[in-house]
Amino acid sequence: MKRRNGIRRGWLTLPLGLSILTTSAWAEPAPRANPFACLGEGESLSRGMSTAEVQSEVQKRLDHPPGKEEAALDVARFHCVTAELMRRVGDPRAVGFYEKAIEIAPEEPGFELWYGYYLRNVRGPRHPLDEAAERHHHAGLDKMRAVKAAGTTQEFDAITESWLQRGLINLYQEDGLPLLSSKAFPYESNGASSLGASLSVITRASYDTNESGIIDDARRFAAEASFAASPQRLNRTLDADELRGIIRTPLRHALFSRLRLRVPVLGTVDAYYERMRAPKSQISAYTEPNNFGDVGVDTFAVGWRRTFDLYPAFDLMLDFGYRRVQRTGVVEWYPGLEEGINLFEAHPVVSRFFGPDKLSVGLNYVYMQIPLVPGGPIADRVRARAITAVYFDYAIYRQLLLPDTSTWEIKRTPTRGLHIYGGYAMDDEAFGVRVVYRRDTYAGISLRGVGGFDFTLQGTLLGSDTTEDRRTPSNTIERVLDGRQIIRQVRPTFIVLYRLVDEESIPDVPKSPLAGLNLVVPIRADKATEGVDSFDNLRGGAELWSKLITPGLRGTNFLLTAGYEAQWFHRVSKLVHIGRIELRMGWGQL
């Protein structure tokens, strides 16, 4: 729930308040100027401008720097405004100008606030530059304590302090409940160089055709039906009742708990345990495709993540993990077999600005060491799985020409980004002499922050091929494609999000725990273009996403999500009801 570039839309409602604060600050002699003048002037200068016009304004300021006769605070504000304009057009030189403002006015907390915001919400590879951002937020609070000790507080200081605290709450929002005071609200001491420890707990329950985080229910059902009908199993076409029976929404419930350490310089180190149970969810034997067994998964894992500021080249995030997975009920014919799997994963991401636009490119790699099935036929014993996925997101943050909803006049309008994205995933899984090759290709466009709305349109191609190793008459092994198990599907998806309570319109510590509330309406369809088409469907419903911030619980963030969808499989005349609820104290891998 964070914005990568441009001014928060909610802040645009503040010019009157900022004007009042500025006026009151200058109405009587004071040693410090209102730091919100930096934000207000930057917004005023850039409002309605094209990218080229903002860049031209930046160049004018570089060509005409402040004179030596100007007061230090005026010079500091000039550099801060220059940095704010650079921020809006993706100019990495903004770093230097934020630092100049801080150097010229080292006692002012507000300049630390704007620099910390830039590092937290604008820079970073799909994640903040954690350590740099927290240094400047904590430095701002240190300076605020010094201002209070000196007895020179002014009217705007309470707002500055609240925004600094909220920035740290958002920076640590994924962590859960702080166990150490160093990184716990209200941040009474500088914890930037201290060890942080936090506990995250997530619980979820659902009746769904998909597992959590998995989207290929129609392909999976088609693959199960194809294999059950193959010569290796029933060697016949499944009847309508058997096809309808494969469509299932078992109860799945899971509990996730994680201990996170934030170690200075090293980054975040996680240790977690996850328990998932799904009764009557897995086909036990494909000779009886409507006979389902229980699945249980216990995962013990460790992970490490850190972001790196490597500009002018790019920002980089490295994310590595290891999981030990104990699962039961997954292997055909062996419903009670417990498997111990070693799983290794890597998720690096790089990002870079191109003008005001930001490109992020990432890789997801997962390798699973799956043990042999003891005592089974040699043809079914060998198991392994590897998943490789690449993706990109090109976010256009420049002001777009959009119709004004009140006058329908076309004018330059700030948004929360026009995202053009896509990706490709390869999932190869070996089942003895058979290997399943799953391929996903997707692309989409998402326009965010049009009034209170986000609109997303995505197209996905899902495919699956199965090969089998067969011995030829010359006694060699030949890998043969099974034409009866080819699956090709297309999935269009349309999602509308409306902000009932806009989190970004409240940039300080919220007075109420409810910091954000979104209504989400997802609609999608699955259609087979090759292979089994019995599971073509239309699915739609509504979800509520809410975010709660609890200052009384050390600033802990909670996410509560609940939703209902209906899914109609028209070719076999089956309607299923989807329901799920999830509560997260912090969030992680679950």
Side-chain angles (χ1 to χ4, degrees), residues 271-302:
Y272 67 85
Y273 166 70
E274 177 185 343
R275 180 184 189 273
M276 191 278 288
R277 297 293 182 266
K280 305 301 179 184
S281 62
Q282 180 74 24
I283 296 177
S284 299
Y286 284 88
T287 52
E288 301 177 71
N290 293 161
N291 184 13
F292 304 106
D294 300 343
V295 172
V297 180
D298 294 272
T299 303
F300 302 86
V302 293

Side-chain angles (χ1 to χ4, degrees), residues 256-276:
F256 170 97
S257 59
R258 180 192 66 200
L259 175 65
R260 164 165 288 180
L261 300 179
R262 283 188 177 266
V263 185
V265 181
L266 181 61
T268 59
V269 179
D270 297 334
Y272 67 85
Y273 166 70
E274 177 185 343
R275 180 184 189 273
M276 191 278 288

Side-chain angles (χ1 to χ4, degrees), residues 393 415-419 446-450 453-456 499:
D393 178 279
T415 69
R416 298 182 185 184
L418 175 64
H419 293 254
S446 180
L447 179 58
R448 305 176 187 176
V450 182
F453 288 92
D454 294 353
F455 301 98
T456 300
R499 296 175 181 84

